[in-house]
Amino acid sequence: ACALGIALVGSPLQSPASLMEATPTHADDLITTEHADTFAQKDPFQGFNRVMFEFNMAVDKVFLQQAALAYRTILPKFAQNRVHDFVSNLGGPLSTLNYALQGEGDKFVDSLARFLFNTIFGLGGLFDVASEINLKVDDTTYDKTLGRWGADSGPYIMLPLLGPTTARG
């Protein structure tokens, strides 16, 4: 059931063990004593991260898997596609702004054109008409923008409900 729920919503919540293709185990078992000091330097929020990981996994198991199953069962594929296209289109202005801040002129123009086409001709973004005219999806984030300007990624942090990121992200 867990794999089904994660597959249904594409959940970013993955255990360190699954990422290393190891047998699922408690994270403490993955760290040897000789590497503990190095690990602590790379993960100064280790205690918080462990608590948030466990919290996220519990929320995923208790709520998100069932919500994803209900969504896939109740909504027809056509409606699911409209929801997907609409939510994807909402990120257009942020990607466009980030391409401008990164100095990526061509990608800025493509991102702006994609957002405008989908908003105007795709009924507010309900339909992805930009893909039909070969304007490809190429999103960017503030994290990448800050990286482009030289900001260090910072330490790893597990966010409640959102999953893993870095301090910059």
Side-chain angles (χ1 to χ4, degrees):
C2 181
L4 175 64
I6 290 172
L8 289 177
V9 295
S11 174
L13 304 177
Q14 296 177 335
S15 71
S18 69
L19 293 175
M20 297 186 328
E21 297 182 10
T23 303
T25 182
H26 194 274
D28 287 333
D29 298 336
L30 298 174
I31 303 168
T32 63
T33 307
E34 65 187 68
H35 295 103
D37 290 338
T38 303
F39 186 75
Q41 290 173 349
K42 293 182 179 183
D43 189 6
F45 306 122
Q46 183 182 129
F48 174 82
N49 289 338
R50 288 175 188 265
V51 170
M52 281 302 105
F53 175 78
E54 295 299 327
F55 170 79
N56 286 344
M57 293 306 293
V59 169
D60 183 57
K61 184 175 184 179
V62 172
F63 177 71
L64 295 179
Q65 290 178 26
Q66 286 72 25
L69 185 59
Y71 175 82
R72 297 278 173 138
T73 303
I74 295 169
L75 243 76
K77 188 66 174 168
F78 178 80
Q80 291 176 34
N81 289 340
R82 300 301 60 86
V83 170
H84 175 267
D85 289 349
F86 179 78
V87 171
S88 294
N89 195 53
L90 290 176
L94 292 177
S95 286
T96 302
L97 174 63
N98 278 299
Y99 281 128
L101 294 172
Q102 292 172 21
E104 295 279 352
D106 290 344
K107 290 183 178 183
F108 166 80
V109 170
D110 288 348
S111 182
L112 179 61
R114 179 175 179 75
F115 174 73
L116 291 175
F117 268 86
N118 283 340
T119 301
I120 295 167
F121 301 113
L123 302 176
L126 291 174
F127 295 90
D128 182 10
V129 295
S131 290
E132 299 298 321
I133 59 170
N134 294 321
L135 284 174
K136 66 178 183 162
V137 177
D138 191 17
D139 296 328
T140 191
T141 63
Y142 288 119
D143 181 22
K144 291 178 186 175
T145 300
L146 291 171
R148 176 83 179 229
W149 287 95
D152 184 43
S153 65
Y156 170 87
I157 187 165
M158 178 67 72
L159 298 176
L161 305 178
L162 299 176
T165 188
T166 62
R168 181 180 76 197

